[in-house]
Amino acid sequence: MQLRTEYERVFEKLNAEKRELIIKNSSAYSDIQKSEHHAWKMEEELNTVKEQNVSLQLSLERMQQLTALNHLKDSLGSYDASAARSKGSNVSKKASTEKENYAPVASNSSNSKMKDFYKKQDLEQVAGADEMECPYSSEAVPSEKK
């Protein structure tokens, strides 16, 4: 009888340990699932942030290009205005000798032709025109199709 009581006590003890181990295993598995879910959420957030970063970098590049283009347009506009003012003024002998040392600069008429040419290019890209006229030749230049 004593042997049977001893056997039941050991059996109860082993069952209690088994229950504890099952609970610990279940808790560990639950923790693993939570960690995996958290890692998945973090990956999604990281991908979103990367996409936003790329988008912001592209926007920044576009803004820099537009700024550079605006500066170029402004400088062309100020060049046209200064050329128009100096057109009527007398040119000194020193200025004429300096001109000989530098490459010729486009005149107002060629600047306006260039502006018209680029305006036509912009309109061609927007409207999808088939041909545009080049200000430097009498021929029509076929537009490039993308």
Side-chain angles (χ1 to χ4, degrees):
M1 182 87 161
Q2 194 178 8
L3 188 62
R4 184 169 172 95
T5 5
E6 175 99 15
Y7 171 78
E8 286 178 0
R9 195 170 36 98
V10 169
F11 185 74
E12 290 289 324
K13 185 178 175 186
L14 288 175
N15 274 339
E17 280 183 38
K18 180 182 173 185
R19 267 188 247 115
E20 264 184 57
L21 290 173
I22 288 173
I23 290 172
K24 285 181 181 179
N25 185 32
S26 177
S27 175
Y29 183 73
S30 177
D31 289 344
I32 288 171
Q33 284 182 328
K34 286 178 185 177
S35 296
E36 287 175 348
H37 183 71
H38 181 71
W40 178 79
K41 277 186 172 180
M42 296 305 286
E43 270 186 45
E44 289 294 315
E45 189 174 337
L46 178 64
N47 288 336
T48 302
V49 170
K50 282 182 180 179
E51 288 172 2
Q52 289 173 347
N53 186 23
V54 168
S55 177
L56 289 173
Q57 285 176 342
L58 291 173
S59 295
L60 178 62
E61 285 179 25
R62 281 192 296 267
M63 293 300 293
Q64 288 172 343
Q65 289 172 352
L66 286 174
T67 303
L69 184 61
N70 286 337
H71 286 303
L72 180 63
K73 285 180 181 178
D74 290 344
S75 66
L76 281 176
S78 65
Y79 173 76
D80 287 345
S82 66
R85 282 187 297 235
S86 67
K87 196 174 189 180
S89 66
N90 292 333
V91 178
S92 68
K93 189 174 186 179
K94 182 179 180 185
S96 65
T97 58
E98 286 179 1
K99 282 184 179 180
E100 293 169 1
N101 294 334
Y102 297 101
V105 179
S107 66
N108 269 346
S109 62
S110 64
N111 278 341
S112 64
K113 285 182 181 179
M114 277 197 329
K115 285 181 183 177
D116 290 341
F117 177 70
Y118 288 116
K119 284 180 187 175
K120 286 180 183 178
Q121 275 188 331
D122 290 341
L123 290 174
E124 184 267 341
Q125 288 175 350
V126 172
D130 288 335
E131 292 186 345
M132 62 186 156
E133 191 173 317
C134 179
Y136 301 106
S137 72
S138 60
E139 301 174 21
V141 178
S143 61
E144 295 179 5
K145 298 288 183 180
K146 288 186 177 183

